[in-house]
């Protein structure tokens, strides 16, 4: 199974009625250790370092987001300001003039999407939710 097809699906899910996509890059990582499920070879792969993946996975696994609250969310060498978490499975973050990050966990994975500045984070949230809930329904 190619996990990269989930990148295409998520980007498509983020489109509004005019056809504009509100997500420009995506990564799916494992909740146990943060190993990447999607590859860096995809044109819309979110650039994220292994140490960043491990830190994100650790927070989601423990359901303790205080590290994000105090230090922000680091992705691709950028520090995003933590906005909020919901239900211990959804995290939202933003970096002014750089865009936003939406992350949602399923049982075994974390779906991460970057929403470019000027796009609607709500559309990105919806798209991330669709993929995370699909994985959850597969018991993943």
């Amino acid at each position: 199974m190619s996990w990269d097809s989930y990148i295409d699906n998520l980007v498509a899910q983020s489109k509004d009625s005019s056809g504009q996509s509100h997500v420009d890059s995506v990564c799916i990582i494992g909740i146990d250790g943060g190993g990447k499920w999607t590859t860096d070879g995809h044109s819309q792969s979110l650039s994220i370092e292994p140490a960043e993946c491990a830190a994100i996975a650790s927070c989601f696994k423990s359901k303790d987001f205080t590290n994000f609250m105090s230090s922000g969310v680091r992705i691709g060498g950028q520090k995003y300001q933590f906005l909020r978490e919901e239900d211990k499975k959804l995290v939202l973050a933003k970096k002014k003039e750089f865009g936003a990050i939406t992350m949602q966990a399923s049982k075994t994975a974390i779906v991460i999407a970057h929403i470019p500045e000027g796009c609607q984070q709500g559309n990105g949230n919806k798209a991330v939710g669709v993929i995370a809930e699909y994985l959850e329904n597969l018991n993943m």
Side-chain angles (χ1 to χ4, degrees), residues 1-7 9-10 13 26-31 35-38 89 103-113 126-140:
M1 171 192 275
S2 172
W3 289 100
D4 285 359
S5 64
Y6 285 78
I7 295 173
N9 190 313
L10 194 151
Q13 292 282 343
V26 177
C27 183
I28 301 175
I29 63 172
I31 206 162
K36 283 187 172 183
W37 290 15
T38 53
K89 65 191 296 183
M103 301 183 284
Q104 187 169 331
S106 66
K107 288 183 174 89
T108 61
I110 304 160
V111 180
I112 307 168
K126 178 183 71 79
V128 167
V130 167
I131 301 302
E133 289 167 20
Y134 176 76
L135 294 173
E136 186 89 17
N137 288 336
L138 293 176
N139 217 20
M140 297 182 77

Side-chain angles (χ1 to χ4, degrees), residues 30-48:
I31 206 162
D32 286 322
K36 283 187 172 183
W37 290 15
T38 53
T39 68
D40 292 335
H42 191 285
S43 64
Q44 291 180 298
S45 174
L46 179 61
S47 175
I48 184 168

Side-chain angles (χ1 to χ4, degrees), residues 5-70:
S5 64
Y6 285 78
I7 295 173
D8 297 324
N9 190 313
L10 194 151
V11 170
Q13 292 282 343
S14 77
K15 289 183 179 177
D16 60 23
S17 59
S18 72
Q20 178 187 354
S21 175
H22 291 270
V23 168
D24 67 354
S25 54
V26 177
C27 183
I28 301 175
I29 63 172
I31 206 162
D32 286 322
K36 283 187 172 183
W37 290 15
T38 53
T39 68
D40 292 335
H42 191 285
S43 64
Q44 291 180 298
S45 174
L46 179 61
S47 175
I48 184 168
E49 298 299 319
E52 295 168 336
C53 291
I56 290 167
S58 175
C59 288
F60 274 94
K61 178 108 173 146
S62 67
K63 298 184 189 290
D64 179 4
F65 303 102
T66 55
N67 188 45
F68 289 160
M69 292 174 198
S70 62

